[in-house]
Amino acid sequence: MPKIASRLDHFTESVIREMTRVANACGALNLSQGFPDFDPPPELVAAAHKALDDGFHQYAVTWGAPRFREALARKQSRWMGLDLDPDENIVVTCGSTEAMMTALMTACNPGDRVIVFSPFYENYGADAILTGATPVYVHLRPPDFTFDPDELRRAFETGVKALVLCNPSNPTGKVFTKDELGVIAGLAREFDAFVVTDEVYEHIVYEPWSHTYIAGLEGMFGRTISCSSLSKTYGVTGWRLGYVIASGEVIAGAKKVHDFLTVGAAAPLQEAAVTALEFPQRYYDELRAWYTKLRDIFLGYLDRANLSYIAPQGAYYVLVDVSEFGVTDDVAFCRRLAEKAGVAAVPGSSFFHEPVNHLIRFHFAKRPETLEAAGERLLKIREMI
Ligand code: GLN
C-alpha cells in the first residue's frame, strides 16, 4: 500500500481537542479546550436566524462577504489605530486556525525558519510543518513569561522569515507590553521578517493590562500579518469566522491561498456577524468585566485548593503547577484528573517545546456555576487522584 506523507510523522493530532473527547467520554467538566458553555449575545443568534430566512445560502465572495468586511474594517480600524480598506486589507477565513495557516503559507517558502515562542498554542508547530517551514523556539520564562532579548536576537540571527506572536498569549495569559513589542518590532525590521499574530484574545484583557496591536506600531503594518477571529470575542467558536489583516500586497497573496484552501467562510454567519461587529464600546467593557468575574471565581478556588498557578493578565487560561503530585506523564495525569476528579484540563507538555511535565492548563470560559462545580471538585483533588 502507498504510504501517507512523511510530514505527518512530525506532529500528532491536537491534544487540546483530544481532551474534549476524553471529557465527553467520562462526563467530566470540560476545562480543557477553550470554549464557553454560555450562549452568545441573543441579538447575534437572532441575526443568524434572519440571515437564513433572508436567503444567504450560497458562497459569499471568497475573501469575505462585503458587508462583513466593511463592518470588520470599521471595527478593527478603530481598535488597531489603522485605516483599513475592506477590499485591500482583509481576508475572511474559517476561524483563526485557517487565518494562521493562510498567513504562514503566504509568508513562507519551504525551508524558511519561523520563530515560535515556547510555550505556544499547539497549532503553530503543525502550521509551520505543513507550510514546510522550520520552527525556531525562543523561551518565554516564568513567572512573567517574558523573553530574553538576546536569545530572541540570536534566533533572528539564524535567518528567519517570520515570528509567530500570540498576544494575549495562550496558554500563559501573558499580555505583551509595548516595550516588549517594540523589541520584537525592532528585530523584525532589522532582520526583514514578518510578524504573524494570533490576537483572538484581544478583548479579553484584565486590569491593569491593555492590549497593543503590533501592527499599529511605527513601521510595522507592512510586515505584520494580523490574525484573529470572532470566536472568543462574541462566544461563537463553532461559527468558524476568522480573518487576516495585512497590507494590500500580503493580502493579494493571502486571498489566493485562502481561495484554494477553503473557498470561504459560512455565508449566512458572515451576514449575521455584522450585528456583532457593530456592537458599541459597552459590549467590550462588559466582556472584560464578565471574564474578570469568571477569572476571579476560578482563581479563588485554586487558592482555596492550595494549587499554585500563574495569574493570567489576559485570555482565559491558567497554568497550574502539579509538581506536588509527582507527575512524570502529564497526559496520563490529565486523563486521571478527568476520570477520577471529573475535571478535564490540557497537559502542559502540549504547549512546550522543551520537556515540561509539571504544568496543566485549565480554561475558565464557563458559567459561574460550572466553575463552582469544577472548583468544588478541585478542592478535593488530593483525595480523588
Ligand atoms: N484556542 C482553544 C484552546 O486553546 C482551542 C481552539 C481550537 O480547538 N480550535 O483551547
Side-chain angles (χ1 to χ4, degrees), residues 297-320:
I297 291 172
F298 193 63
L299 299 190
Y301 275 99
L302 295 181
D303 288 333
R304 283 172 59 200
N306 257 323
L307 289 165
S308 79
Y309 59 85
I310 295 159
Q313 304 167 347
Y316 49 49
Y317 304 101
V318 56
L319 286 172
V320 173

PDB file of all heavy atoms in Angstrom, residues 297-320:
ATOM      1  N   ILE A 297     -13.489  33.948  40.116  1.00  0.00           N
ATOM      2  CA  ILE A 297     -14.132  32.761  40.715  1.00  0.00           C
ATOM      3  C   ILE A 297     -13.168  31.583  40.661  1.00  0.00           C
ATOM      4  O   ILE A 297     -12.895  30.919  41.665  1.00  0.00           O
ATOM      5  CB  ILE A 297     -15.448  32.402  39.974  1.00  0.00           C
ATOM      6  CG1 ILE A 297     -16.511  33.468  40.223  1.00  0.00           C
ATOM      7  CG2 ILE A 297     -15.946  31.011  40.385  1.00  0.00           C
ATOM      8  CD1 ILE A 297     -17.774  33.297  39.394  1.00  0.00           C
ATOM      9  N   PHE A 298     -12.613  31.350  39.470  1.00  0.00           N
ATOM     10  CA  PHE A 298     -11.797  30.140  39.324  1.00  0.00           C
ATOM     11  C   PHE A 298     -10.489  30.234  40.109  1.00  0.00           C
ATOM     12  O   PHE A 298     -10.090  29.284  40.795  1.00  0.00           O
ATOM     13  CB  PHE A 298     -11.544  29.844  37.836  1.00  0.00           C
ATOM     14  CG  PHE A 298     -10.986  28.473  37.630  1.00  0.00           C
ATOM     15  CD1 PHE A 298     -11.725  27.343  37.976  1.00  0.00           C
ATOM     16  CD2 PHE A 298      -9.702  28.294  37.133  1.00  0.00           C
ATOM     17  CE1 PHE A 298     -11.206  26.064  37.821  1.00  0.00           C
ATOM     18  CE2 PHE A 298      -9.171  27.017  36.974  1.00  0.00           C
ATOM     19  CZ  PHE A 298      -9.923  25.902  37.311  1.00  0.00           C
ATOM     20  N   LEU A 299      -9.823  31.392  40.022  1.00  0.00           N
ATOM     21  CA  LEU A 299      -8.564  31.539  40.767  1.00  0.00           C
ATOM     22  C   LEU A 299      -8.816  31.452  42.269  1.00  0.00           C
ATOM     23  O   LEU A 299      -7.977  30.951  43.035  1.00  0.00           O
ATOM     24  CB  LEU A 299      -7.852  32.854  40.413  1.00  0.00           C
ATOM     25  CG  LEU A 299      -7.421  33.042  38.946  1.00  0.00           C
ATOM     26  CD1 LEU A 299      -6.508  34.265  38.808  1.00  0.00           C
ATOM     27  CD2 LEU A 299      -6.738  31.820  38.368  1.00  0.00           C
ATOM     28  N   GLY A 300      -9.992  31.910  42.704  1.00  0.00           N
ATOM     29  CA  GLY A 300     -10.365  31.805  44.116  1.00  0.00           C
ATOM     30  C   GLY A 300     -10.377  30.342  44.560  1.00  0.00           C
ATOM     31  O   GLY A 300      -9.876  29.999  45.641  1.00  0.00           O
ATOM     32  N   TYR A 301     -10.921  29.459  43.711  1.00  0.00           N
ATOM     33  CA  TYR A 301     -10.921  28.029  44.045  1.00  0.00           C
ATOM     34  C   TYR A 301      -9.502  27.462  44.049  1.00  0.00           C
ATOM     35  O   TYR A 301      -9.155  26.650  44.906  1.00  0.00           O
ATOM     36  CB  TYR A 301     -11.808  27.240  43.075  1.00  0.00           C
ATOM     37  CG  TYR A 301     -13.260  27.248  43.501  1.00  0.00           C
ATOM     38  CD1 TYR A 301     -14.169  28.124  42.923  1.00  0.00           C
ATOM     39  CD2 TYR A 301     -13.719  26.392  44.500  1.00  0.00           C
ATOM     40  CE1 TYR A 301     -15.498  28.150  43.320  1.00  0.00           C
ATOM     41  CE2 TYR A 301     -15.046  26.397  44.909  1.00  0.00           C
ATOM     42  CZ  TYR A 301     -15.925  27.281  44.325  1.00  0.00           C
ATOM     43  OH  TYR A 301     -17.233  27.294  44.731  1.00  0.00           O
ATOM     44  N   LEU A 302      -8.682  27.894  43.084  1.00  0.00           N
ATOM     45  CA  LEU A 302      -7.295  27.390  43.056  1.00  0.00           C
ATOM     46  C   LEU A 302      -6.567  27.798  44.338  1.00  0.00           C
ATOM     47  O   LEU A 302      -5.822  27.008  44.920  1.00  0.00           O
ATOM     48  CB  LEU A 302      -6.548  27.925  41.831  1.00  0.00           C
ATOM     49  CG  LEU A 302      -7.061  27.461  40.462  1.00  0.00           C
ATOM     50  CD1 LEU A 302      -6.207  28.066  39.344  1.00  0.00           C
ATOM     51  CD2 LEU A 302      -7.051  25.928  40.348  1.00  0.00           C
ATOM     52  N   ASP A 303      -6.837  29.040  44.802  1.00  0.00           N
ATOM     53  CA  ASP A 303      -6.232  29.495  46.061  1.00  0.00           C
ATOM     54  C   ASP A 303      -6.682  28.608  47.211  1.00  0.00           C
ATOM     55  O   ASP A 303      -5.873  28.134  48.001  1.00  0.00           O
ATOM     56  CB  ASP A 303      -6.631  30.949  46.361  1.00  0.00           C
ATOM     57  CG  ASP A 303      -5.928  31.935  45.437  1.00  0.00           C
ATOM     58  OD1 ASP A 303      -4.822  31.613  44.957  1.00  0.00           O
ATOM     59  OD2 ASP A 303      -6.490  33.021  45.177  1.00  0.00           O
ATOM     60  N   ARG A 304      -8.004  28.407  47.259  1.00  0.00           N
ATOM     61  CA  ARG A 304      -8.537  27.604  48.371  1.00  0.00           C
ATOM     62  C   ARG A 304      -8.019  26.167  48.315  1.00  0.00           C
ATOM     63  O   ARG A 304      -7.857  25.518  49.345  1.00  0.00           O
ATOM     64  CB  ARG A 304     -10.067  27.607  48.343  1.00  0.00           C
ATOM     65  CG  ARG A 304     -10.643  28.917  48.880  1.00  0.00           C
ATOM     66  CD  ARG A 304     -12.149  28.971  48.672  1.00  0.00           C
ATOM     67  NE  ARG A 304     -12.854  27.885  49.310  1.00  0.00           N
ATOM     68  CZ  ARG A 304     -14.081  27.481  48.974  1.00  0.00           C
ATOM     69  NH1 ARG A 304     -14.740  28.090  47.998  1.00  0.00           N
ATOM     70  NH2 ARG A 304     -14.667  26.503  49.614  1.00  0.00           N
ATOM     71  N   ALA A 305      -7.783  25.664  47.108  1.00  0.00           N
ATOM     72  CA  ALA A 305      -7.281  24.289  46.959  1.00  0.00           C
ATOM     73  C   ALA A 305      -5.769  24.227  47.166  1.00  0.00           C
ATOM     74  O   ALA A 305      -5.178  23.153  47.052  1.00  0.00           O
ATOM     75  CB  ALA A 305      -7.638  23.753  45.575  1.00  0.00           C
ATOM     76  N   ASN A 306      -5.156  25.390  47.420  1.00  0.00           N
ATOM     77  CA  ASN A 306      -3.700  25.432  47.609  1.00  0.00           C
ATOM     78  C   ASN A 306      -2.930  24.950  46.396  1.00  0.00           C
ATOM     79  O   ASN A 306      -1.913  24.266  46.535  1.00  0.00           O
ATOM     80  CB  ASN A 306      -3.298  24.574  48.803  1.00  0.00           C
ATOM     81  CG  ASN A 306      -3.003  25.452  49.980  1.00  0.00           C
ATOM     82  OD1 ASN A 306      -2.441  26.541  49.807  1.00  0.00           O
ATOM     83  ND2 ASN A 306      -3.422  25.003  51.153  1.00  0.00           N
ATOM     84  N   LEU A 307      -3.446  25.263  45.232  1.00  0.00           N
ATOM     85  CA  LEU A 307      -2.745  24.897  43.999  1.00  0.00           C
ATOM     86  C   LEU A 307      -2.009  26.135  43.510  1.00  0.00           C
ATOM     87  O   LEU A 307      -2.578  27.233  43.517  1.00  0.00           O
ATOM     88  CB  LEU A 307      -3.759  24.421  42.942  1.00  0.00           C
ATOM     89  CG  LEU A 307      -4.392  23.059  43.234  1.00  0.00           C
ATOM     90  CD1 LEU A 307      -5.623  22.837  42.356  1.00  0.00           C
ATOM     91  CD2 LEU A 307      -3.374  21.930  43.013  1.00  0.00           C
ATOM     92  N   SER A 308      -0.775  25.990  43.110  1.00  0.00           N
ATOM     93  CA  SER A 308      -0.069  27.202  42.682  1.00  0.00           C
ATOM     94  C   SER A 308      -0.190  27.376  41.174  1.00  0.00           C
ATOM     95  O   SER A 308      -0.215  26.404  40.408  1.00  0.00           O
ATOM     96  CB  SER A 308       1.371  27.211  43.185  1.00  0.00           C
ATOM     97  OG  SER A 308       2.150  26.397  42.372  1.00  0.00           O
ATOM     98  N   TYR A 309      -0.308  28.623  40.780  1.00  0.00           N
ATOM     99  CA  TYR A 309      -0.607  28.931  39.382  1.00  0.00           C
ATOM    100  C   TYR A 309       0.005  30.274  39.033  1.00  0.00           C
ATOM    101  O   TYR A 309       0.439  31.033  39.909  1.00  0.00           O
ATOM    102  CB  TYR A 309      -2.128  28.987  39.160  1.00  0.00           C
ATOM    103  CG  TYR A 309      -2.824  30.025  40.016  1.00  0.00           C
ATOM    104  CD1 TYR A 309      -2.917  31.354  39.604  1.00  0.00           C
ATOM    105  CD2 TYR A 309      -3.361  29.682  41.259  1.00  0.00           C
ATOM    106  CE1 TYR A 309      -3.530  32.314  40.408  1.00  0.00           C
ATOM    107  CE2 TYR A 309      -3.969  30.634  42.067  1.00  0.00           C
ATOM    108  CZ  TYR A 309      -4.045  31.939  41.633  1.00  0.00           C
ATOM    109  OH  TYR A 309      -4.638  32.882  42.417  1.00  0.00           O
ATOM    110  N   ILE A 310      -0.002  30.568  37.737  1.00  0.00           N
ATOM    111  CA  ILE A 310       0.488  31.864  37.284  1.00  0.00           C
ATOM    112  C   ILE A 310      -0.721  32.661  36.831  1.00  0.00           C
ATOM    113  O   ILE A 310      -1.423  32.262  35.887  1.00  0.00           O
ATOM    114  CB  ILE A 310       1.526  31.669  36.165  1.00  0.00           C
ATOM    115  CG1 ILE A 310       2.748  30.956  36.769  1.00  0.00           C
ATOM    116  CG2 ILE A 310       1.927  33.014  35.558  1.00  0.00           C
ATOM    117  CD1 ILE A 310       3.613  30.261  35.799  1.00  0.00           C
ATOM    118  N   ALA A 311      -1.016  33.754  37.533  1.00  0.00           N
ATOM    119  CA  ALA A 311      -2.249  34.510  37.268  1.00  0.00           C
ATOM    120  C   ALA A 311      -2.211  35.120  35.865  1.00  0.00           C
ATOM    121  O   ALA A 311      -1.250  35.788  35.504  1.00  0.00           O
ATOM    122  CB  ALA A 311      -2.418  35.610  38.306  1.00  0.00           C
ATOM    123  N   PRO A 312      -3.238  34.864  35.067  1.00  0.00           N
ATOM    124  CA  PRO A 312      -3.254  35.402  33.706  1.00  0.00           C
ATOM    125  C   PRO A 312      -3.535  36.903  33.671  1.00  0.00           C
ATOM    126  O   PRO A 312      -4.317  37.410  34.466  1.00  0.00           O
ATOM    127  CB  PRO A 312      -4.390  34.628  33.038  1.00  0.00           C
ATOM    128  CG  PRO A 312      -5.274  34.187  34.142  1.00  0.00           C
ATOM    129  CD  PRO A 312      -4.405  34.014  35.347  1.00  0.00           C
ATOM    130  N   GLN A 313      -2.890  37.589  32.736  1.00  0.00           N
ATOM    131  CA  GLN A 313      -3.139  39.018  32.501  1.00  0.00           C
ATOM    132  C   GLN A 313      -4.196  39.195  31.415  1.00  0.00           C
ATOM    133  O   GLN A 313      -4.807  40.253  31.287  1.00  0.00           O
ATOM    134  CB  GLN A 313      -1.826  39.685  32.058  1.00  0.00           C
ATOM    135  CG  GLN A 313      -0.695  39.478  33.045  1.00  0.00           C
ATOM    136  CD  GLN A 313       0.671  39.844  32.481  1.00  0.00           C
ATOM    137  OE1 GLN A 313       0.842  40.044  31.279  1.00  0.00           O
ATOM    138  NE2 GLN A 313       1.657  39.950  33.347  1.00  0.00           N
ATOM    139  N   GLY A 314      -4.343  38.167  30.616  1.00  0.00           N
ATOM    140  CA  GLY A 314      -5.324  38.199  29.530  1.00  0.00           C
ATOM    141  C   GLY A 314      -5.652  36.773  29.114  1.00  0.00           C
ATOM    142  O   GLY A 314      -5.143  35.817  29.694  1.00  0.00           O
ATOM    143  N   ALA A 315      -6.517  36.634  28.122  1.00  0.00           N
ATOM    144  CA  ALA A 315      -7.022  35.337  27.645  1.00  0.00           C
ATOM    145  C   ALA A 315      -7.790  34.638  28.775  1.00  0.00           C
ATOM    146  O   ALA A 315      -8.019  35.245  29.825  1.00  0.00           O
ATOM    147  CB  ALA A 315      -5.911  34.454  27.084  1.00  0.00           C
ATOM    148  N   TYR A 316      -8.191  33.371  28.562  1.00  0.00           N
ATOM    149  CA  TYR A 316      -8.975  32.749  29.643  1.00  0.00           C
ATOM    150  C   TYR A 316      -8.425  31.386  30.070  1.00  0.00           C
ATOM    151  O   TYR A 316      -9.157  30.444  30.269  1.00  0.00           O
ATOM    152  CB  TYR A 316     -10.465  32.717  29.322  1.00  0.00           C
ATOM    153  CG  TYR A 316     -10.940  32.192  27.978  1.00  0.00           C
ATOM    154  CD1 TYR A 316     -10.499  30.981  27.460  1.00  0.00           C
ATOM    155  CD2 TYR A 316     -11.913  32.902  27.272  1.00  0.00           C
ATOM    156  CE1 TYR A 316     -10.996  30.502  26.267  1.00  0.00           C
ATOM    157  CE2 TYR A 316     -12.420  32.438  26.062  1.00  0.00           C
ATOM    158  CZ  TYR A 316     -11.962  31.238  25.565  1.00  0.00           C
ATOM    159  OH  TYR A 316     -12.464  30.765  24.391  1.00  0.00           O
ATOM    160  N   TYR A 317      -7.095  31.367  30.215  1.00  0.00           N
ATOM    161  CA  TYR A 317      -6.420  30.134  30.619  1.00  0.00           C
ATOM    162  C   TYR A 317      -5.575  30.394  31.857  1.00  0.00           C
ATOM    163  O   TYR A 317      -5.134  31.514  32.080  1.00  0.00           O
ATOM    164  CB  TYR A 317      -5.497  29.650  29.501  1.00  0.00           C
ATOM    165  CG  TYR A 317      -6.231  29.462  28.197  1.00  0.00           C
ATOM    166  CD1 TYR A 317      -6.147  30.427  27.196  1.00  0.00           C
ATOM    167  CD2 TYR A 317      -7.032  28.347  27.992  1.00  0.00           C
ATOM    168  CE1 TYR A 317      -6.838  30.277  26.015  1.00  0.00           C
ATOM    169  CE2 TYR A 317      -7.735  28.187  26.805  1.00  0.00           C
ATOM    170  CZ  TYR A 317      -7.637  29.155  25.821  1.00  0.00           C
ATOM    171  OH  TYR A 317      -8.331  29.005  24.663  1.00  0.00           O
ATOM    172  N   VAL A 318      -5.335  29.307  32.587  1.00  0.00           N
ATOM    173  CA  VAL A 318      -4.397  29.414  33.709  1.00  0.00           C
ATOM    174  C   VAL A 318      -3.572  28.130  33.770  1.00  0.00           C
ATOM    175  O   VAL A 318      -4.110  27.021  33.659  1.00  0.00           O
ATOM    176  CB  VAL A 318      -5.137  29.732  35.039  1.00  0.00           C
ATOM    177  CG1 VAL A 318      -6.214  28.710  35.363  1.00  0.00           C
ATOM    178  CG2 VAL A 318      -4.152  29.847  36.195  1.00  0.00           C
ATOM    179  N   LEU A 319      -2.262  28.315  33.896  1.00  0.00           N
ATOM    180  CA  LEU A 319      -1.349  27.179  34.035  1.00  0.00           C
ATOM    181  C   LEU A 319      -1.184  26.886  35.518  1.00  0.00           C
ATOM    182  O   LEU A 319      -0.831  27.786  36.292  1.00  0.00           O
ATOM    183  CB  LEU A 319       0.011  27.507  33.418  1.00  0.00           C
ATOM    184  CG  LEU A 319       0.076  27.518  31.893  1.00  0.00           C
ATOM    185  CD1 LEU A 319       1.429  28.057  31.424  1.00  0.00           C
ATOM    186  CD2 LEU A 319      -0.175  26.141  31.297  1.00  0.00           C
ATOM    187  N   VAL A 320      -1.445  25.649  35.885  1.00  0.00           N
ATOM    188  CA  VAL A 320      -1.379  25.248  37.296  1.00  0.00           C
ATOM    189  C   VAL A 320      -0.221  24.271  37.475  1.00  0.00           C
ATOM    190  O   VAL A 320      -0.039  23.356  36.662  1.00  0.00           O
ATOM    191  CB  VAL A 320      -2.719  24.600  37.725  1.00  0.00           C
ATOM    192  CG1 VAL A 320      -2.628  24.021  39.129  1.00  0.00           C
ATOM    193  CG2 VAL A 320      -3.842  25.634  37.641  1.00  0.00           C
TER     194      VAL A 320
END
